[in-house]
């Protein structure tokens, strides 16, 4: 199969490119090489077209003879500064719209879309008295006082965190999250209008080789690893008890391969959690990585970034059912590998 892969030089995109090529697919690789993600121009194992997915003429040219698009290109990051909003919307949403329009013109009807668990916002919570509830925005005074668990919005009692299924309420709580949900909405509209099909893969906390190092655009695993390389203790916010699902980048690449090989229902967007199904805490990650690197123990400092959520873990059942995908890299094994894995240079490094 001939596949246009956007964001092909990125952390996740490059792993997908390796996996697709290894399984006999012809990959047309496109990447804008945004400095926030790459710092310096990365070495790639595959021929790469340097260009922007918003360049309609270029995208139309690259779509010739293509059977499917695997859309990974995006501006990533927490997006806490509203002044970043135009850039996030331009890269993620306008870029996706340009791509979808070009796919329509080219008659390409299959899309695998990189989405994210951030579209859920807070995870799924249950109150002993009121059942499933949606907690409100976390309050600065609670975080400052060390009250990190969101209370029931009806009775104020503690909530129990559960795994999030794909049909959960969507509640993006950052600029990046809002643009990822907008990508899903655009792709769903395209599918309805064209009869095409979309697999939206909602990645959970991805880690592994080739992550960008020491930059706010990287994930927490990279930030911890960068601190340890400097001989510093990883800094853990809140109390370290935040639950997440850490999934290795090779598993994410395998999930994309599975999505390429299985057609979604025509005329709709089909969202699928891509996760390990084995939740861990942020503190667990920091401790395991410190041990693997032989570095200082993590330092728990309290506080939280604006719009951070407390718990978000995933239900892996649908990925198994519709893709035949199950994560294979165990957490301990993946962290040990990550402790020695090559990272990308941080922005501005040489």
């Amino acid at each position: 199969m001939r596949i246009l892969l956007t964001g092909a030089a990125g952390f996740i995109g490059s792993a997908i490119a390796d996996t697709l090529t290894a399984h006999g697919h012809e990959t047309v690789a496109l990447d804008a090489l945004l400095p926030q993600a790459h710092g310096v121009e990365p070495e790639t194992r595959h021929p790469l077209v340097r260009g922007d997915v918003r360049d309609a003429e270029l995208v139309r040219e690259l779509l010739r003879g293509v059977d499917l698009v695997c859309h990974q290109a995006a501006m990533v990051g927490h997006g806490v500064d509203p002044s970043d909003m135009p850039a996030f919307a331009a890269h993620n949403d306008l870029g996706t719209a340009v791509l979808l329009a070009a796919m329509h013109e080219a008659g390409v009807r299959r899309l695998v879309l990189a989405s994210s668990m951030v579209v859920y916002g807070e995870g799924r919570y249950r109150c002993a008295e009121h059942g499933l509830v949606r907690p409100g925005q976390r309050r600065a005074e609670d975080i400052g006082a060390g009250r990190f668990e969101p209370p029931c919005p009806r009775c104020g009692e503690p909530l129990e965190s559960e795994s999030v299924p794909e049909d959960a309420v969507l509640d993006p709580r950052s600029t990046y999250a809002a643009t990822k949900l907008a990508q899903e909405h655009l792709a769903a509209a395209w599918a309805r209008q064209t009869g095409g099909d979309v697999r939206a893969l909602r990645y959970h906390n991805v880690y592994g080789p080739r992550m960008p190092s020491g930059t706010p655009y990287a994930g927490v695993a990279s930030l911890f690893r960068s601190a340890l390389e400097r001989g510093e203790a990883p800094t853990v916010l809140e109390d370290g008890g935040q639950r997440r699902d850490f999934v290795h980048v090779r598993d994410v690449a395998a999930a994309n391969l599975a999505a390429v090989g299985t057609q979604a229902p025509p005329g709709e967007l089909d969202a699928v959690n891509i996760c390990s199904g084995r939740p861990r805490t942020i503190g667990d990650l920091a401790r395991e990585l410190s041990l693997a690197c032989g570095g200082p123990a993590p330092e728990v400092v309290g506080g939280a970034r604006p719009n951070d959520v407390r718990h978000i873990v995933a239900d892996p059942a649908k990925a198994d059912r519709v893709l035949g995908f199950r994560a294979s890299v165990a957490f301990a094994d993946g962290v040990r590998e990550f402790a020695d894995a090559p990272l990308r240079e941080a922005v501005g490094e040489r």
Side-chain angles (χ1 to χ4, degrees):
M1 189 180 296
R2 182 175 172 88
I3 298 170
L4 173 60
L5 174 62
T6 71
F11 160 47
I12 296 174
S14 62
I16 294 171
D18 290 347
T19 297
L20 292 177
T21 302
H23 285 80
H25 295 289
E26 180 185 357
T27 302
V28 180
L30 173 67
D31 202 296
L33 300 179
L34 295 179
Q36 298 95 326
H38 298 281
V40 298
E41 188 163 334
E43 295 182 5
T44 60
R45 303 181 184 182
H46 313 279
L48 179 71
V49 177
R50 181 169 187 169
D52 196 314
V53 73
R54 295 170 295 178
D55 183 341
E57 184 176 351
L58 172 63
V59 171
R60 284 194 293 266
E61 179 182 339
L62 296 179
L63 282 169
R64 291 175 184 167
V66 160
D67 302 296
L68 176 146
V69 175
C70 187
H71 184 32
Q72 307 295 314
M75 181 175 172
V76 300
H78 201 55
V80 297
D81 185 346
S83 64
D84 287 338
M85 282 186 170
F88 275 96
H91 284 287
N92 298 355
D93 301 334
L94 177 59
T96 298
V98 170
L99 173 65
L100 292 169
M103 289 175 65
H104 171 57
E105 294 170 7
V108 179
R109 294 289 180 264
R110 295 192 61 201
L111 174 67
V112 176
L113 174 68
S115 188
S116 171
M117 55 91 171
V118 296
V119 300
Y120 297 118
E122 276 287 356
R124 184 181 175 101
Y125 292 88
R126 186 176 297 276
C127 173
E129 181 177 353
H130 297 109
L132 288 176
V133 296
R134 194 74 184 163
Q137 189 80 358
R138 300 172 76 192
R139 302 186 306 173
E141 55 266 35
D142 287 337
I143 291 171
R147 296 188 295 269
F148 301 118
E149 298 292 341
C152 175
R154 297 177 64 182
C155 65
E157 292 300 310
L159 298 173
E160 189 72 26
S161 170
E162 298 183 349
S163 296
V164 179
E166 287 82 357
D167 61 358
V169 173
L170 305 181
D171 183 22
R173 299 195 175 192
S174 70
T175 298
Y176 172 64
T179 63
K180 295 306 288 184
L181 182 53
Q183 284 185 314
E184 289 196 14
H185 287 323
L186 289 166
W190 170 87
R192 286 191 292 269
Q193 292 167 355
T194 65
D197 69 83
V198 184
R199 290 277 193 214
L201 305 184
R202 292 176 179 163
Y203 303 155
H204 284 252
N205 290 70
V206 187
Y207 73 101
R210 305 181 200 162
M211 289 188 84
S213 64
T215 162
Y217 293 91
V220 67
S222 176
L223 297 177
F224 289 165
R225 162 77 186 274
S226 297
L228 288 162
E229 287 185 337
R230 297 190 300 268
E232 301 170 3
T235 299
V236 179
L237 298 179
E238 301 185 31
D239 58 359
Q242 310 95 299
R243 296 172 70 234
R244 298 289 188 271
D245 190 308
F246 297 99
V247 57
H248 197 277
V249 70
R250 282 200 302 276
D251 282 326
V252 172
N256 276 270
L257 178 68
V260 165
T262 56
Q263 191 161 350
E268 64 181 80
L269 178 144
D270 192 38
V272 184
N273 286 327
I274 303 303
C275 59
S276 73
R278 296 179 288 274
R280 298 282 182 163
T281 68
I282 298 290
D284 289 339
L285 175 65
R287 287 187 291 273
E288 289 280 349
L289 196 53
S290 292
L291 287 171
C293 292
E299 181 181 356
V300 179
V301 298
R305 296 185 302 178
N307 297 317
D308 267 350
V309 299
R310 177 61 177 174
H311 303 299
I312 174 69
V313 299
D315 184 343
K318 184 176 180 180
D320 189 8
R321 185 174 72 253
V322 304
L323 300 180
F325 166 75
R326 295 183 183 181
S328 63
V329 180
F331 178 74
D333 294 339
V335 171
R336 280 194 297 269
E337 178 195 4
F338 181 63
D340 297 320
L343 300 184
R344 294 175 184 270
E345 293 180 345
V347 175
E349 287 186 1
R350 294 291 186 273

